[in-house]
Amino acid sequence: MPATPTKQLVADLGLERHPEGGYFKQTDCQEETVPTPFADGDQRPLSTSIFYLLSHDNPAGVIHMNKSVTYHILHQGRAEYTLITPGSPPKIERHVMGSNAAAGEKMQLIVGTGIWKMSQLLAEDINAAESENDKELVNCLITEVVVPGFQWMDHKFLTRDGLDELFKDVDKEERAKAVSQYSRYLKQ
């Protein structure tokens, strides 16, 4: 099945700009609530879900963390997810969401609690798009399901101070490399 152009996805799905980068639309918020272990037992929807789209004109999200578990399910395209698990040193993983399982791409990605994450289109896909029509087809559409359901109070963006703290226990050269690599993905 050929990829759906970005403008058509935005229009057909009613997507809006997302504060994390890309586009989104909430598609479900369960009415049933459960106590969340992340906010002293406050009630949250059992789950929430959104469409999330990265595009040639909006190719990356910022580094953020949800307290809840997030399930990512691919619809089309490819994107690289960088996951940073705090620790000494932090554990960094990269996963490509895409449909080529033989190449190690994943059609589903589960991100646990307390893990920093960011997503971006692959540079090779962006660079291969020469015409405006090609650029319209470079995108990645996923569904994100958050359990317990998403609330902004259970979410945070990585700051520059937070980035420094995250890599404080690595040697000076590695810390400088991490700060250089990830600073452009901080919320401005």
Side-chain angles (χ1 to χ4, degrees):
M1 176 153 71
T4 303
T6 297
K7 287 179 185 170
Q8 184 179 343
L9 287 171
V10 170
D12 290 353
L13 301 176
L15 304 177
E16 302 173 18
R17 293 277 183 172
H18 196 298
E20 295 170 1
Y23 301 88
F24 85 108
K25 180 174 183 171
Q26 185 172 27
T27 57
D28 184 61
C29 180
Q30 290 293 299
E31 290 183 20
E32 184 177 349
T33 61
V34 294
T36 179
F38 309 118
D40 298 324
D42 287 354
Q43 295 291 305
R44 298 286 185 269
L46 182 61
S47 68
T48 55
S49 62
I50 64 169
F51 283 129
Y52 182 67
L53 175 70
L54 292 174
S55 61
H56 195 277
D57 68 324
N58 207 335
V62 296
I63 303 172
H64 63 283
M65 178 189 291
N66 292 321
K67 292 181 181 175
S68 298
V69 174
T70 306
Y71 298 84
H72 305 77
I73 300 108
L74 179 72
H75 295 289
Q76 78 170 31
R78 296 191 319 155
E80 178 183 74
Y81 276 75
T82 300
L83 309 180
I84 307 172
T85 304
S88 182
K91 177 182 173 187
I92 301 171
E93 301 173 68
R94 289 185 177 77
H95 303 277
V96 174
M97 290 198 71
S99 59
N100 188 349
E105 296 178 357
K106 300 173 180 284
M107 295 182 71
Q108 179 180 0
L109 178 65
I110 302 168
V111 179
T113 65
I115 297 174
W116 294 104
K117 70 172 182 172
M118 60 88 53
S119 56
Q120 62 184 345
L121 294 179
L122 280 74
E124 64 194 69
D125 294 346
I126 292 171
N127 295 336
E130 295 177 0
S131 71
E132 288 305 311
N133 286 340
D134 292 343
K135 291 176 183 178
E136 270 296 298
L137 298 175
V138 176
N139 58 49
C140 183
L141 177 65
I142 65 165
T143 287
E144 284 191 10
V145 180
V146 180
V147 179
F150 180 83
Q151 294 285 326
W152 279 108
M153 64 187 71
D154 299 333
H155 172 279
K156 60 184 170 181
F157 293 108
L158 188 61
T159 63
R160 175 56 196 263
D161 288 343
L163 181 61
D164 289 336
E165 179 69 20
L166 189 60
F167 287 93
K168 71 178 182 179
D169 292 332
V170 300
D171 68 60
K172 187 176 180 180
E173 187 176 308
E174 284 297 312
R175 183 171 48 252
K177 181 180 172 186
V179 168
S180 173
Q181 181 176 6
Y182 297 118
S183 288
R184 63 185 172 146
Y185 300 108
L186 301 178
K187 179 83 170 163
Q188 302 300 322

